Amino acid sequence: MNKKPANIPSGTMPFPPGFEVCWAGANPFGSGCFFGSEDGGVQLFDNNFRPLGSAIKTSPSGEAINSVAGVGTWFATSTRRDINFIGRSSQAGKSEMYHAPYGAHDLAVTTSGFFVAALGRLGLLFAEADIRKDNFTITNPGAEGELSVYSVLTLPGDAQHDLVVCAGRTGGILYCQWRASQATTNMRTMSFADLDVVDVCSIGTIEHPRAVAALAKNGALLLSKDILADEKPGTVKFDNVTGTAYRVVRCRGHLFVLTRNGVFGLWNLAENFVNGTFGINGDTSILGMPMEATDLNVVMDHWLLIVGLDSIEQIDVDGIQEGEERTRPQILRPDWKSNGVTQTPKEFALTA
Protein backbone atom coordinates (compact mmCIF):
# COMPACT_ATOMS: atom_id res chain seq x y z
CA MET A 1 0.00 0.00 0.00
CA ASN A 2 1.41 3.38 -0.99
CA LYS A 3 1.55 5.93 1.80
CA LYS A 4 2.23 9.66 1.39
CA PRO A 5 2.35 12.53 3.87
CA ALA A 6 -0.77 14.72 3.73
CA ASN A 7 1.10 17.82 2.56
CA ILE A 8 1.95 16.42 -0.88
CA PRO A 9 -0.47 17.48 -3.67
CA SER A 10 -0.83 14.53 -6.00
CA GLY A 11 -3.11 12.59 -8.28
CA THR A 12 -3.26 8.87 -9.03
CA MET A 13 -4.07 7.29 -12.37
CA PRO A 14 -4.68 3.53 -12.65
CA PHE A 15 -2.93 1.85 -15.55
CA PRO A 16 -5.02 2.11 -18.76
CA PRO A 17 -6.91 -1.13 -19.54
CA GLY A 18 -4.62 -3.57 -21.32
CA PHE A 19 -1.60 -1.27 -20.95
CA GLU A 20 0.72 -2.34 -18.13
CA VAL A 21 2.85 0.77 -17.59
CA CYS A 22 6.54 0.35 -16.73
CA TRP A 23 7.89 3.78 -17.80
CA ALA A 24 6.37 7.29 -17.70
CA GLY A 25 8.10 10.48 -18.75
CA ALA A 26 7.90 13.75 -20.65
CA ASN A 27 6.78 14.13 -24.24
CA PRO A 28 10.02 15.29 -25.95
CA PHE A 29 8.06 17.27 -28.56
CA GLY A 30 5.82 19.37 -26.29
CA SER A 31 3.36 19.13 -23.43
CA GLY A 32 1.97 15.88 -22.11
CA CYS A 33 3.76 12.64 -21.40
CA PHE A 34 4.61 9.23 -22.83
CA PHE A 35 3.82 5.95 -21.12
CA GLY A 36 5.75 2.81 -22.01
CA SER A 37 4.32 -0.66 -21.51
CA GLU A 38 5.64 -4.02 -20.35
CA ASP A 39 5.14 -5.48 -23.86
CA GLY A 40 7.02 -2.82 -25.86
CA GLY A 41 4.24 -0.30 -26.57
CA VAL A 42 4.11 3.48 -26.09
CA GLN A 43 1.13 5.81 -25.69
CA LEU A 44 1.04 9.63 -25.66
CA PHE A 45 -1.16 11.32 -23.04
CA ASP A 46 -2.02 14.97 -22.41
CA ASN A 47 -1.42 16.76 -19.09
CA ASN A 48 -4.75 15.48 -17.80
CA PHE A 49 -3.84 11.84 -18.53
CA ARG A 50 -6.15 11.68 -21.55
CA PRO A 51 -4.81 9.48 -24.38
CA LEU A 52 -3.78 11.21 -27.61
CA GLY A 53 -4.06 8.77 -30.51
CA SER A 54 -3.53 5.04 -30.22
CA ALA A 55 -0.80 3.03 -28.57
CA ILE A 56 2.08 2.04 -30.84
CA LYS A 57 3.92 -1.27 -30.55
CA THR A 58 7.55 -0.27 -31.06
CA SER A 59 9.59 -3.24 -29.84
CA PRO A 60 9.62 -6.35 -32.07
CA SER A 61 10.93 -8.32 -29.10
CA GLY A 62 7.92 -7.36 -26.97
CA GLU A 63 10.22 -6.39 -24.09
CA ALA A 64 9.42 -3.69 -21.53
CA ILE A 65 10.11 -0.07 -22.46
CA ASN A 66 12.78 1.50 -20.23
CA SER A 67 13.34 4.87 -21.94
CA VAL A 68 11.88 7.23 -24.57
CA ALA A 69 13.65 10.14 -26.28
CA GLY A 70 12.89 12.36 -29.26
CA VAL A 71 14.59 14.81 -31.62
CA GLY A 72 13.55 16.33 -34.95
CA THR A 73 10.73 14.26 -36.47
CA TRP A 74 11.81 11.01 -34.79
CA PHE A 75 11.48 9.44 -31.38
CA ALA A 76 13.17 6.36 -30.01
CA THR A 77 12.34 3.71 -27.44
CA SER A 78 14.64 1.22 -25.78
CA THR A 79 14.26 -2.16 -24.13
CA ARG A 80 16.77 -4.68 -22.81
CA ARG A 81 16.76 -6.33 -26.27
CA ASP A 82 16.35 -3.58 -28.87
CA ILE A 83 16.36 0.14 -29.73
CA ASN A 84 13.54 1.36 -31.95
CA PHE A 85 13.29 4.56 -34.04
CA ILE A 86 9.85 5.82 -35.05
CA GLY A 87 9.16 8.69 -37.46
CA ARG A 88 6.61 9.98 -39.96
CA SER A 89 7.37 10.13 -43.66
CA SER A 90 6.59 13.53 -45.18
CA GLN A 91 6.03 11.86 -48.55
CA ALA A 92 3.76 8.93 -47.78
CA GLY A 93 2.28 10.27 -44.55
CA LYS A 94 2.88 6.93 -42.86
CA SER A 95 4.83 6.05 -39.78
CA GLU A 96 8.30 4.62 -40.34
CA MET A 97 10.01 2.30 -37.89
CA TYR A 98 13.56 0.97 -37.71
CA HIS A 99 15.24 -1.25 -35.15
CA ALA A 100 18.75 -1.75 -33.78
CA PRO A 101 19.42 -5.22 -32.34
CA TYR A 102 21.06 -3.92 -29.18
CA GLY A 103 19.57 -3.85 -25.71
CA ALA A 104 19.86 -0.50 -23.95
CA HIS A 105 19.37 0.75 -20.39
CA ASP A 106 18.73 4.42 -21.23
CA LEU A 107 18.35 6.97 -24.06
CA ALA A 108 19.21 10.65 -24.43
CA VAL A 109 19.57 13.26 -27.19
CA THR A 110 22.71 15.33 -27.80
CA THR A 111 22.67 19.08 -28.44
CA SER A 112 23.93 18.37 -31.98
CA GLY A 113 20.88 16.22 -32.72
CA PHE A 114 21.97 12.62 -32.21
CA PHE A 115 20.28 9.89 -30.24
CA VAL A 116 22.65 8.28 -27.74
CA ALA A 117 21.93 4.97 -25.99
CA ALA A 118 23.57 3.28 -23.01
CA LEU A 119 24.39 -0.28 -24.11
CA GLY A 120 25.91 -1.63 -20.91
CA ARG A 121 29.23 -3.36 -21.60
CA LEU A 122 28.91 -2.70 -25.36
CA GLY A 123 29.34 1.03 -24.77
CA LEU A 124 27.47 3.97 -26.34
CA LEU A 125 25.39 3.97 -29.50
CA PHE A 126 24.99 7.20 -31.52
CA ALA A 127 22.36 7.66 -34.24
CA GLU A 128 21.72 10.84 -36.22
CA ALA A 129 18.27 12.39 -35.79
CA ASP A 130 17.37 11.75 -39.44
CA ILE A 131 17.50 7.98 -39.23
CA ARG A 132 17.44 7.55 -43.01
CA LYS A 133 20.95 9.08 -43.30
CA ASP A 134 22.37 5.78 -42.02
CA ASN A 135 24.79 7.55 -39.66
CA PHE A 136 25.10 5.10 -36.74
CA THR A 137 28.14 4.25 -34.63
CA ILE A 138 28.97 2.41 -31.41
CA THR A 139 31.86 3.42 -29.17
CA ASN A 140 33.01 0.89 -26.60
CA PRO A 141 34.05 2.38 -23.24
CA GLY A 142 36.80 -0.10 -22.50
CA ALA A 143 38.75 -3.14 -23.56
CA GLU A 144 36.71 -6.35 -23.51
CA GLY A 145 33.76 -4.67 -21.83
CA GLU A 146 35.66 -3.66 -18.68
CA LEU A 147 33.23 -0.75 -18.18
CA SER A 148 29.44 -0.70 -18.31
CA VAL A 149 27.28 2.25 -19.43
CA TYR A 150 24.07 2.14 -17.39
CA SER A 151 22.45 5.58 -17.76
CA VAL A 152 23.32 8.55 -19.95
CA LEU A 153 23.13 12.35 -19.72
CA THR A 154 23.99 14.82 -22.49
CA LEU A 155 25.22 18.40 -22.04
CA PRO A 156 26.94 21.03 -24.23
CA GLY A 157 30.70 20.42 -24.42
CA ASP A 158 33.65 22.47 -25.61
CA ALA A 159 34.41 23.51 -29.20
CA GLN A 160 31.24 22.14 -30.83
CA HIS A 161 31.46 18.84 -28.98
CA ASP A 162 28.67 17.12 -27.10
CA LEU A 163 29.44 16.22 -23.50
CA VAL A 164 28.16 12.75 -22.62
CA VAL A 165 28.09 11.75 -18.94
CA CYS A 166 27.24 8.21 -17.87
CA ALA A 167 26.58 6.14 -14.78
CA GLY A 168 29.16 3.39 -15.14
CA ARG A 169 28.22 1.09 -12.23
CA THR A 170 31.46 -0.16 -10.61
CA GLY A 171 33.42 1.84 -13.21
CA GLY A 172 32.16 5.03 -11.55
CA ILE A 173 31.23 8.19 -13.44
CA LEU A 174 32.14 8.07 -17.13
CA TYR A 175 32.27 11.07 -19.46
CA CYS A 176 33.54 12.04 -22.88
CA GLN A 177 33.41 14.89 -25.39
CA TRP A 178 32.04 13.60 -28.67
CA ARG A 179 31.22 14.75 -32.19
CA ALA A 180 30.30 12.76 -35.25
CA SER A 181 33.42 13.58 -37.28
CA GLN A 182 36.03 12.41 -34.77
CA ALA A 183 37.99 9.22 -35.38
CA THR A 184 38.47 8.32 -31.71
CA THR A 185 36.86 9.26 -28.40
CA ASN A 186 38.61 9.61 -25.06
CA MET A 187 36.35 8.26 -22.31
CA ARG A 188 37.32 9.51 -18.84
CA THR A 189 36.43 7.64 -15.65
CA MET A 190 36.18 8.78 -12.01
CA SER A 191 35.74 6.16 -9.32
CA PHE A 192 36.76 4.92 -5.89
CA ALA A 193 36.71 1.55 -4.12
CA ASP A 194 33.28 -0.12 -3.81
CA LEU A 195 31.52 2.61 -5.82
CA ASP A 196 28.49 1.47 -7.87
CA VAL A 197 26.94 4.38 -9.85
CA VAL A 198 23.40 3.71 -11.06
CA ASP A 199 22.19 7.10 -12.35
CA VAL A 200 23.19 10.64 -13.32
CA CYS A 201 21.24 13.87 -13.79
CA SER A 202 21.96 17.49 -14.61
CA ILE A 203 21.89 20.06 -11.81
CA GLY A 204 23.23 22.73 -14.15
CA THR A 205 22.43 26.44 -14.24
CA ILE A 206 23.33 29.20 -16.71
CA GLU A 207 26.45 29.92 -14.64
CA HIS A 208 27.32 26.23 -14.16
CA PRO A 209 25.95 24.36 -17.20
CA ARG A 210 28.04 21.22 -16.60
CA ALA A 211 27.02 20.62 -12.98
CA VAL A 212 26.05 16.98 -12.43
CA ALA A 213 24.66 14.77 -9.67
CA ALA A 214 25.32 11.03 -9.69
CA LEU A 215 23.68 8.40 -7.50
CA ALA A 216 25.33 5.31 -6.06
CA LYS A 217 23.46 2.09 -5.33
CA ASN A 218 23.93 2.61 -1.58
CA GLY A 219 22.25 6.05 -1.77
CA ALA A 220 25.41 8.19 -1.75
CA LEU A 221 25.26 11.33 -3.91
CA LEU A 222 28.23 12.51 -5.97
CA LEU A 223 28.02 16.23 -6.78
CA SER A 224 30.13 18.22 -9.26
CA LYS A 225 29.88 21.85 -10.37
CA ASP A 226 31.80 21.07 -13.58
CA ILE A 227 32.24 17.45 -14.51
CA LEU A 228 35.05 18.29 -16.95
CA ALA A 229 37.13 20.15 -14.36
CA ASP A 230 36.28 18.43 -11.08
CA GLU A 231 38.26 15.23 -10.45
CA LYS A 232 36.92 14.80 -6.90
CA PRO A 233 33.15 15.38 -6.75
CA GLY A 234 31.56 16.19 -3.40
CA THR A 235 30.34 12.95 -1.86
CA VAL A 236 27.54 12.85 0.73
CA LYS A 237 25.20 10.24 2.16
CA PHE A 238 22.00 10.84 4.15
CA ASP A 239 21.08 8.14 6.64
CA ASN A 240 17.39 9.00 6.12
CA VAL A 241 17.57 7.92 2.45
CA THR A 242 17.17 4.17 2.88
CA GLY A 243 16.86 1.19 0.56
CA THR A 244 18.70 0.22 -2.61
CA ALA A 245 18.86 3.33 -4.81
CA TYR A 246 17.77 3.33 -8.47
CA ARG A 247 17.10 6.83 -9.79
CA VAL A 248 17.90 10.51 -9.18
CA VAL A 249 16.21 13.53 -10.82
CA ARG A 250 16.38 17.29 -10.32
CA CYS A 251 13.21 19.38 -10.15
CA ARG A 252 12.87 23.02 -9.00
CA GLY A 253 16.33 22.99 -7.42
CA HIS A 254 15.55 19.87 -5.38
CA LEU A 255 16.89 16.34 -5.83
CA PHE A 256 14.50 13.36 -5.72
CA VAL A 257 15.90 9.88 -5.16
CA LEU A 258 13.96 6.69 -5.89
CA THR A 259 14.91 3.66 -3.79
CA ARG A 260 13.38 0.33 -2.94
CA ASN A 261 11.69 2.02 0.03
CA GLY A 262 10.14 5.00 -1.79
CA VAL A 263 10.90 8.49 -3.07
CA PHE A 264 12.97 10.94 -1.02
CA GLY A 265 12.96 14.67 -1.70
CA LEU A 266 16.19 16.46 -0.73
CA TRP A 267 15.06 20.04 -0.46
CA ASN A 268 17.07 22.68 -2.37
CA LEU A 269 20.10 20.38 -2.38
CA ALA A 270 20.88 20.85 -6.09
CA GLU A 271 20.39 24.62 -5.96
CA ASN A 272 22.36 25.07 -2.74
CA PHE A 273 25.29 22.97 -3.96
CA VAL A 274 25.64 24.74 -7.29
CA ASN A 275 25.23 28.19 -5.73
CA GLY A 276 27.78 27.46 -3.04
CA THR A 277 25.25 27.70 -0.18
CA PHE A 278 25.25 24.02 0.77
CA GLY A 279 27.21 24.90 3.91
CA ILE A 280 30.00 23.12 5.69
CA ASN A 281 27.58 20.65 7.31
CA GLY A 282 25.16 20.29 4.38
CA ASP A 283 22.02 20.42 6.54
CA THR A 284 19.08 19.49 4.29
CA SER A 285 15.36 19.01 4.77
CA ILE A 286 14.34 15.54 3.55
CA LEU A 287 10.79 14.57 2.64
CA GLY A 288 10.19 10.82 2.59
CA MET A 289 7.36 9.34 0.50
CA PRO A 290 7.14 5.61 1.32
CA MET A 291 5.81 3.67 -1.67
CA GLU A 292 6.52 0.76 -3.96
CA ALA A 293 7.64 2.27 -7.25
CA THR A 294 9.68 1.21 -10.27
CA ASP A 295 10.50 4.47 -12.06
CA LEU A 296 10.63 8.23 -11.59
CA ASN A 297 10.77 11.09 -14.11
CA VAL A 298 10.14 14.85 -14.31
CA VAL A 299 7.58 16.48 -16.64
CA MET A 300 7.28 20.21 -17.43
CA ASP A 301 9.88 20.95 -14.72
CA HIS A 302 7.36 20.75 -11.89
CA TRP A 303 5.60 17.38 -12.05
CA LEU A 304 7.01 14.09 -10.80
CA LEU A 305 5.68 10.98 -12.54
CA ILE A 306 6.16 7.90 -10.37
CA VAL A 307 5.33 4.46 -11.77
CA GLY A 308 3.89 2.23 -9.07
CA LEU A 309 2.81 -1.40 -9.15
CA ASP A 310 -0.64 -0.71 -10.64
CA SER A 311 -0.91 3.08 -11.00
CA ILE A 312 0.99 6.26 -11.83
CA GLU A 313 1.45 8.97 -9.22
CA GLN A 314 1.59 12.59 -10.41
CA ILE A 315 3.03 14.97 -7.81
CA ASP A 316 3.11 18.77 -8.10
CA VAL A 317 6.51 19.76 -6.71
CA ASP A 318 5.53 23.44 -6.48
CA GLY A 319 2.80 22.55 -3.99
CA ILE A 320 4.91 20.46 -1.61
CA GLN A 321 5.44 22.01 1.81
CA GLU A 322 9.02 21.79 3.03
CA GLY A 323 9.46 19.97 6.30
CA GLU A 324 10.97 21.79 9.27
CA GLU A 325 13.33 19.02 10.39
CA ARG A 326 16.77 19.21 8.81
CA THR A 327 19.28 16.39 8.46
CA ARG A 328 23.06 16.53 8.39
CA PRO A 329 24.64 14.12 5.89
CA GLN A 330 27.77 12.08 6.17
CA ILE A 331 30.46 14.03 4.31
CA LEU A 332 32.54 11.35 2.61
CA ARG A 333 36.10 11.87 1.40
CA PRO A 334 36.89 8.81 -0.72
CA ASP A 335 40.12 8.26 -2.61
CA TRP A 336 38.97 9.22 -6.10
CA LYS A 337 40.85 7.75 -9.05
CA SER A 338 40.82 9.11 -12.62
CA ASN A 339 41.59 7.24 -15.81
CA GLY A 340 41.21 7.53 -19.58
CA VAL A 341 40.27 4.98 -22.24
CA THR A 342 40.57 5.62 -25.99
CA GLN A 343 37.64 4.33 -28.04
CA THR A 344 37.38 3.68 -31.76
CA PRO A 345 33.83 3.77 -33.18
CA LYS A 346 32.36 1.09 -35.42
CA GLU A 347 29.39 1.41 -37.73
CA PHE A 348 26.26 -0.76 -37.67
CA ALA A 349 23.05 -1.13 -39.67
CA LEU A 350 19.35 -0.94 -38.79
CA THR A 351 16.54 -3.24 -39.80
CA ALA A 352 13.10 -2.05 -40.91
Side-chain angles (χ1 to χ4, degrees), residues 277-311:
T277 55
F278 187 46
I280 190 169
N281 294 320
D283 289 359
T284 300
S285 177
I286 297 181
L287 179 65
M289 296 173 269
M291 63 178 71
E292 293 181 277
T294 60
D295 201 11
L296 167 69
N297 278 298
V298 177
V299 175
M300 304 296 286
D301 196 35
H302 74 100
W303 290 101
L304 297 180
L305 285 186
I306 305 169
V307 179
L309 300 183
D310 55 12
S311 64

Short mmCIF file of all heavy atoms in Angstrom, two decimals, residues 277-311:
data_model
loop_
_atom_site.label_atom_id
_atom_site.label_comp_id
_atom_site.label_asym_id
_atom_site.label_seq_id
_atom_site.Cartn_x
_atom_site.Cartn_y
_atom_site.Cartn_z
N THR A 277 25.89 27.44 -1.47
CA THR A 277 25.25 27.70 -0.18
C THR A 277 24.89 26.41 0.55
O THR A 277 24.05 26.41 1.44
CB THR A 277 23.98 28.56 -0.38
OG1 THR A 277 23.11 27.90 -1.34
CG2 THR A 277 24.32 29.93 -0.90
N PHE A 278 25.50 25.32 0.14
CA PHE A 278 25.25 24.02 0.77
C PHE A 278 25.72 24.01 2.22
O PHE A 278 25.14 23.35 3.08
CB PHE A 278 25.94 22.92 -0.04
CG PHE A 278 25.63 21.52 0.40
CD1 PHE A 278 24.34 21.11 0.67
CD2 PHE A 278 26.65 20.59 0.54
CE1 PHE A 278 24.05 19.81 1.06
CE2 PHE A 278 26.38 19.28 0.92
CZ PHE A 278 25.08 18.90 1.19
N GLY A 279 26.74 24.79 2.53
CA GLY A 279 27.21 24.90 3.91
C GLY A 279 28.19 23.81 4.27
O GLY A 279 28.25 22.74 3.65
N ILE A 280 28.97 24.06 5.29
CA ILE A 280 30.00 23.12 5.69
C ILE A 280 29.41 21.81 6.21
O ILE A 280 30.00 20.74 6.09
CB ILE A 280 30.92 23.77 6.76
CG1 ILE A 280 32.14 22.86 7.00
CG2 ILE A 280 30.16 24.02 8.07
CD1 ILE A 280 33.22 23.53 7.82
N ASN A 281 28.20 21.86 6.77
CA ASN A 281 27.58 20.65 7.31
C ASN A 281 26.55 20.03 6.37
O ASN A 281 26.14 18.90 6.54
CB ASN A 281 26.90 20.95 8.65
CG ASN A 281 27.91 21.32 9.71
OD1 ASN A 281 28.98 20.73 9.79
ND2 ASN A 281 27.59 22.32 10.52
N GLY A 282 26.10 20.80 5.37
CA GLY A 282 25.16 20.29 4.38
C GLY A 282 23.79 19.98 4.92
O GLY A 282 23.10 19.10 4.40
N ASP A 283 23.35 20.68 5.98
CA ASP A 283 22.02 20.42 6.54
C ASP A 283 20.95 20.56 5.46
O ASP A 283 20.91 21.55 4.73
CB ASP A 283 21.71 21.41 7.67
CG ASP A 283 22.53 21.14 8.92
OD1 ASP A 283 23.31 20.16 8.88
OD2 ASP A 283 22.40 21.88 9.89
N THR A 284 20.08 19.55 5.35
CA THR A 284 19.08 19.49 4.29
C THR A 284 17.77 18.95 4.84
O THR A 284 17.77 17.99 5.63
CB THR A 284 19.56 18.58 3.14
OG1 THR A 284 20.79 19.10 2.61
CG2 THR A 284 18.54 18.49 2.02
N SER A 285 16.67 19.55 4.42
CA SER A 285 15.36 19.01 4.77
C SER A 285 15.03 17.87 3.81
O SER A 285 15.13 18.02 2.59
CB SER A 285 14.30 20.12 4.65
OG SER A 285 13.01 19.61 4.91
N ILE A 286 14.64 16.73 4.37
CA ILE A 286 14.34 15.54 3.55
C ILE A 286 12.88 15.15 3.74
O ILE A 286 12.41 15.00 4.87
CB ILE A 286 15.26 14.36 3.93
CG1 ILE A 286 16.72 14.73 3.63
CG2 ILE A 286 14.88 13.10 3.15
CD1 ILE A 286 17.70 13.63 3.95
N LEU A 287 12.19 14.99 2.62
CA LEU A 287 10.79 14.57 2.64
C LEU A 287 10.70 13.14 2.13
O LEU A 287 11.03 12.86 0.97
CB LEU A 287 9.95 15.50 1.75
CG LEU A 287 8.47 15.17 1.64
CD1 LEU A 287 7.79 15.35 3.00
CD2 LEU A 287 7.80 16.06 0.61
N GLY A 288 10.31 12.21 2.98
CA GLY A 288 10.19 10.82 2.59
C GLY A 288 8.78 10.47 2.15
O GLY A 288 7.81 10.86 2.80
N MET A 289 8.66 9.78 1.02
CA MET A 289 7.36 9.34 0.50
C MET A 289 7.41 7.82 0.35
O MET A 289 7.80 7.32 -0.71
CB MET A 289 7.06 10.02 -0.84
CG MET A 289 6.92 11.53 -0.73
SD MET A 289 6.76 12.36 -2.35
CE MET A 289 8.48 12.71 -2.71
N PRO A 290 7.08 7.08 1.40
CA PRO A 290 7.14 5.61 1.32
C PRO A 290 6.17 5.08 0.28
O PRO A 290 4.98 5.41 0.30
CB PRO A 290 6.75 5.16 2.73
CG PRO A 290 6.92 6.37 3.60
CD PRO A 290 6.63 7.54 2.72
N MET A 291 6.65 4.29 -0.64
CA MET A 291 5.81 3.67 -1.67
C MET A 291 6.61 2.62 -2.41
O MET A 291 7.84 2.62 -2.36
CB MET A 291 5.29 4.73 -2.65
CG MET A 291 6.37 5.44 -3.44
SD MET A 291 5.70 6.63 -4.63
CE MET A 291 5.13 7.91 -3.52
N GLU A 292 5.89 1.74 -3.08
CA GLU A 292 6.52 0.76 -3.96
C GLU A 292 6.45 1.32 -5.36
O GLU A 292 5.36 1.48 -5.93
CB GLU A 292 5.81 -0.59 -3.87
CG GLU A 292 5.95 -1.28 -2.52
CD GLU A 292 5.25 -2.62 -2.50
OE1 GLU A 292 4.03 -2.63 -2.29
OE2 GLU A 292 5.93 -3.65 -2.72
N ALA A 293 7.60 1.64 -5.94
CA ALA A 293 7.64 2.27 -7.25
C ALA A 293 8.80 1.70 -8.06
O ALA A 293 9.79 1.21 -7.50
CB ALA A 293 7.79 3.78 -7.11
N THR A 294 8.67 1.78 -9.38
CA THR A 294 9.68 1.21 -10.27
C THR A 294 10.40 2.25 -11.11
O THR A 294 11.45 1.96 -11.67
CB THR A 294 9.04 0.18 -11.22
OG1 THR A 294 8.02 0.82 -12.00
CG2 THR A 294 8.42 -0.97 -10.43
N ASP A 295 9.84 3.46 -11.25
CA ASP A 295 10.50 4.47 -12.06
C ASP A 295 10.06 5.85 -11.63
O ASP A 295 8.99 6.02 -11.02
CB ASP A 295 10.21 4.26 -13.55
CG ASP A 295 11.25 4.93 -14.45
OD1 ASP A 295 12.30 5.38 -13.93
OD2 ASP A 295 11.02 5.02 -15.67
N LEU A 296 10.87 6.86 -11.99
CA LEU A 296 10.63 8.23 -11.59
C LEU A 296 11.17 9.15 -12.68
O LEU A 296 12.31 9.00 -13.12
CB LEU A 296 11.35 8.52 -10.26
CG LEU A 296 11.48 9.97 -9.82
CD1 LEU A 296 10.12 10.54 -9.44
CD2 LEU A 296 12.44 10.07 -8.63
N ASN A 297 10.34 10.12 -13.13
CA ASN A 297 10.77 11.09 -14.11
C ASN A 297 10.12 12.44 -13.83
O ASN A 297 9.14 12.52 -13.08
CB ASN A 297 10.42 10.64 -15.54
CG ASN A 297 11.44 9.66 -16.10
OD1 ASN A 297 12.61 9.98 -16.26
ND2 ASN A 297 10.99 8.44 -16.38
N VAL A 298 10.65 13.49 -14.46
CA VAL A 298 10.14 14.85 -14.31
C VAL A 298 9.48 15.29 -15.60
O VAL A 298 9.98 15.04 -16.70
CB VAL A 298 11.29 15.82 -13.97
CG1 VAL A 298 10.78 17.26 -13.89
CG2 VAL A 298 11.95 15.42 -12.66
N VAL A 299 8.32 15.95 -15.49
CA VAL A 299 7.58 16.48 -16.64
C VAL A 299 7.31 17.95 -16.42
O VAL A 299 6.87 18.36 -15.33
CB VAL A 299 6.26 15.71 -16.84
CG1 VAL A 299 5.44 16.33 -17.96
CG2 VAL A 299 6.53 14.25 -17.15
N MET A 300 7.57 18.77 -17.45
CA MET A 300 7.28 20.21 -17.43
C MET A 300 7.98 20.92 -16.27
O MET A 300 7.55 21.98 -15.83
CB MET A 300 5.77 20.45 -17.36
CG MET A 300 4.96 19.81 -18.47
SD MET A 300 5.32 20.44 -20.11
CE MET A 300 4.53 22.04 -20.04
N ASP A 301 9.06 20.36 -15.77
CA ASP A 301 9.88 20.95 -14.72
C ASP A 301 9.14 21.23 -13.42
O ASP A 301 9.61 22.01 -12.59
CB ASP A 301 10.56 22.24 -15.21
CG ASP A 301 11.72 22.65 -14.30
OD1 ASP A 301 12.40 21.75 -13.78
OD2 ASP A 301 11.93 23.87 -14.10
N HIS A 302 7.98 20.61 -13.21
CA HIS A 302 7.36 20.75 -11.89
C HIS A 302 6.50 19.56 -11.49
O HIS A 302 5.98 19.52 -10.39
CB HIS A 302 6.55 22.05 -11.79
CG HIS A 302 5.25 22.04 -12.53
ND1 HIS A 302 4.04 21.83 -11.90
CD2 HIS A 302 4.98 22.23 -13.83
CE1 HIS A 302 3.07 21.89 -12.80
NE2 HIS A 302 3.61 22.13 -13.97
N TRP A 303 6.34 18.59 -12.39
CA TRP A 303 5.60 17.38 -12.05
C TRP A 303 6.56 16.20 -11.93
O TRP A 303 7.45 16.02 -12.76
CB TRP A 303 4.59 17.03 -13.15
CG TRP A 303 3.44 17.96 -13.26
CD1 TRP A 303 3.27 18.96 -14.18
CD2 TRP A 303 2.26 17.99 -12.44
NE1 TRP A 303 2.08 19.60 -13.98
CE2 TRP A 303 1.44 19.04 -12.91
CE3 TRP A 303 1.83 17.24 -11.34
CZ2 TRP A 303 0.21 19.34 -12.34
CZ3 TRP A 303 0.61 17.54 -10.77
CH2 TRP A 303 -0.18 18.58 -11.26
N LEU A 304 6.35 15.39 -10.89
CA LEU A 304 7.01 14.09 -10.80
C LEU A 304 6.02 13.04 -11.27
O LEU A 304 4.86 13.03 -10.85
CB LEU A 304 7.42 13.77 -9.37
CG LEU A 304 8.46 14.66 -8.69
CD1 LEU A 304 8.73 14.15 -7.27
CD2 LEU A 304 9.75 14.72 -9.49
N LEU A 305 6.47 12.15 -12.15
CA LEU A 305 5.68 10.98 -12.54
C LEU A 305 6.36 9.76 -11.94
O LEU A 305 7.52 9.47 -12.24
CB LEU A 305 5.61 10.84 -14.06
CG LEU A 305 4.68 11.80 -14.81
CD1 LEU A 305 4.62 11.41 -16.28
CD2 LEU A 305 3.28 11.80 -14.22
N ILE A 306 5.63 9.06 -11.08
CA ILE A 306 6.16 7.90 -10.37
C ILE A 306 5.35 6.68 -10.78
O ILE A 306 4.13 6.65 -10.60
CB ILE A 306 6.09 8.10 -8.85
CG1 ILE A 306 6.79 9.41 -8.44
CG2 ILE A 306 6.70 6.91 -8.12
CD1 ILE A 306 6.54 9.80 -7.00
N VAL A 307 6.01 5.68 -11.34
CA VAL A 307 5.33 4.46 -11.77
C VAL A 307 5.28 3.48 -10.60
O VAL A 307 6.32 3.03 -10.10
CB VAL A 307 6.05 3.81 -12.96
CG1 VAL A 307 5.33 2.53 -13.38
CG2 VAL A 307 6.13 4.78 -14.14
N GLY A 308 4.08 3.19 -10.14
CA GLY A 308 3.89 2.23 -9.07
C GLY A 308 3.60 0.84 -9.60
O GLY A 308 3.80 0.56 -10.78
N LEU A 309 3.08 -0.01 -8.75
CA LEU A 309 2.81 -1.40 -9.15
C LEU A 309 1.58 -1.52 -10.03
O LEU A 309 1.50 -2.42 -10.87
CB LEU A 309 2.66 -2.27 -7.90
CG LEU A 309 3.88 -2.31 -6.97
CD1 LEU A 309 3.62 -3.26 -5.81
CD2 LEU A 309 5.14 -2.72 -7.73
N ASP A 310 0.57 -0.63 -9.82
CA ASP A 310 -0.64 -0.71 -10.64
C ASP A 310 -1.20 0.66 -10.98
O ASP A 310 -2.32 0.77 -11.48
CB ASP A 310 -1.71 -1.56 -9.94
CG ASP A 310 -2.02 -1.04 -8.53
OD1 ASP A 310 -1.59 0.08 -8.18
OD2 ASP A 310 -2.69 -1.77 -7.77
N SER A 311 -0.44 1.73 -10.72
CA SER A 311 -0.91 3.08 -11.00
C SER A 311 0.28 4.02 -11.17
O SER A 311 1.42 3.67 -10.86
CB SER A 311 -1.82 3.58 -9.87
OG SER A 311 -1.09 3.68 -8.66
#
